[in-house]
């Protein structure tokens, strides 16, 4: 399955984030459900949204993401606008799926994408894809949003963190949370498509589970030493300076 952020042709549309989209500037109106027995149209009952006092600063709806760039970022999840995406992230985090997963596509001044265990932009989890939960949450600096393929209902495990605002993504991708502390560690993620050195999520956990941060020795990117210049035959024969 190919995700929009892998290779995402919205690069042409918005500094390169999405592939050709079937989505319009605003999501199409949902068609009413059809009753199987009578053929009459019915509207599914609305599920009451969670109120801010139920999820803001509630550790069950917060993620701790420990990065190899040096520390922990804390994410406030938004179950009021994207309950299924929030549950997916929590489920995968508690299964250890994200531990060690790299940031495989990072565009300076735009976003950092991760969530693919193959680090190719082509992978995902074994769980079924999610139905889109597009919502009015703006793509601000620090917003977490789900990557997807051309199909609106193809998000699975990959997500991205906004480095700078990009409102052209609003209602085209499912925003489901925002970094509330530690953004400096997101800024330090190595850039590139793919980066020469891939930063990684060392550990991802639901805050309610109280997992301690890994030791500092694990929160360090391994940067290879610069390659030595090749020695030529002329250099070997040259006099010592």
């Amino acid at each position: 399955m190919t995700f929009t952020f892998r290779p995402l042709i919205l690069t042409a549309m918005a500094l390169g984030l999405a592939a050709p989209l079937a989505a319009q500037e605003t999501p199409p109106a949902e068609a009413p459900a059809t009753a199987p027995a009578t053929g009459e149209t019915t509207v599914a009952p609305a599920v009451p949204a969670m109120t801010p006092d139920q999820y803001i600063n509630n550790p069950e709806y917060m993620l701790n993401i420990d990065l190899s760039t040096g520390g922990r970022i804390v994410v406030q999840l938004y179950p009021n606008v994207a309950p299924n995406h929030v549950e997916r992230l929590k489920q995968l985090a508690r299964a250890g799926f994200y531990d060690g997963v790299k940031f495989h596509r990072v565009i300076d001044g735009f976003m950092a994408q991760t969530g693919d265990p193959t680090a190719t932009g082509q992978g995902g989890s074994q769980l079924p894809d999610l139905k889109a939960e597009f919502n009015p949450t703006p793509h601000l600096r620090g917003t977490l949003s789900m990557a997807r393929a051309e199909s609106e209902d193809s998000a699975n495990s990959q997500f991205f963190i906004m480095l700078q605002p990009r409102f052209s993504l609003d209602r085209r991708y499912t925003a489901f949370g925002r970094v509330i502390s530690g953004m400096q560690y997101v800024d330090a993620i190595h850039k590139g498509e793919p980066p020469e050195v891939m930063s990684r999520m060392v550990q991802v956990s639901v805050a309610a589970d109280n997992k301690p941060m890994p030791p500092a020795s694990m929160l360090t990117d391994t940067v290879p030493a610069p390659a030595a210049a090749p020695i030529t035959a002329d250099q070997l024969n040259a006099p010592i300076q």
Side-chain angles (χ1 to χ4, degrees):
M1 169 171 64
T2 303
F3 280 82
T4 299
F5 275 75
R6 3 162 185 147
L8 306 178
I9 338 175
L10 189 70
T11 312
M13 299 176 59
L15 291 187
L17 180 64
L21 296 176
Q24 302 300 314
E25 194 62 39
T26 56
E30 294 184 1
T34 301
T38 65
E40 297 177 358
T41 57
T42 60
V43 177
V47 177
M50 296 184 69
T51 58
D53 62 296
Q54 292 177 302
Y55 65 88
I56 295 295
N57 294 324
N58 180 343
E60 185 59 32
Y61 296 102
M62 302 175 77
L63 287 180
N64 293 329
I65 304 179
D66 302 312
L67 299 182
S68 63
T69 53
R72 169 171 288 184
I73 69 172
V74 179
V75 175
Q76 174 66 66
L77 299 173
Y78 298 151
N80 60 320
V81 295
N84 295 325
H85 285 68
V86 166
E87 285 306 311
R88 172 62 58 87
L89 266 288
K90 289 167 57 181
Q91 180 181 3
L92 291 176
R94 282 178 162 144
F97 176 86
Y98 288 123
D99 296 353
V101 173
K102 299 175 180 179
F103 287 85
H104 64 272
R105 188 165 187 262
V106 186
I107 302 176
D108 194 19
F110 189 13
M111 61 87 212
Q113 185 177 344
T114 184
D116 173 10
T118 71
T120 64
Q122 305 299 312
S125 75
Q126 296 300 310
L127 298 174
D129 291 345
L130 292 162
K131 182 174 177 58
E133 293 178 300
F134 299 149
N135 59 75
T137 303
H139 284 73
L140 303 171
R141 172 171 161 80
T143 295
L144 272 69
S145 191
M146 289 297 280
R148 61 174 176 83
E150 185 174 356
S151 168
E152 294 182 351
D153 301 330
S154 57
N156 186 282
S157 66
Q158 293 194 41
F159 64 91
F160 54 95
I161 305 174
M162 300 302 298
L163 302 177
Q164 293 296 335
R166 189 60 53 81
F167 301 125
S168 60
L169 306 182
D170 295 356
R171 297 182 183 271
R172 292 174 177 265
Y173 295 86
T174 298
F176 63 90
R178 192 177 183 190
V179 175
I180 58 174
S181 71
M183 194 64 192
Q184 68 271 27
Y185 303 120
V186 178
D187 290 333
I189 294 171
H190 286 280
K191 312 300 189 294
E193 300 181 70
E196 182 178 351
V197 177
M198 291 188 184
S199 302
R200 67 194 186 283
M201 298 183 290
V202 177
Q203 176 180 270
V204 181
S205 61
V206 178
D209 296 343
N210 294 313
K211 283 193 174 183
M213 189 183 303
S217 59
M218 295 181 64
L219 303 180
T220 305
D221 283 328
T222 302
V223 180
I231 298 175
T232 66
D234 289 338
Q235 288 173 315
L236 291 175
N237 293 329
I240 298 176
Q241 299 297 323

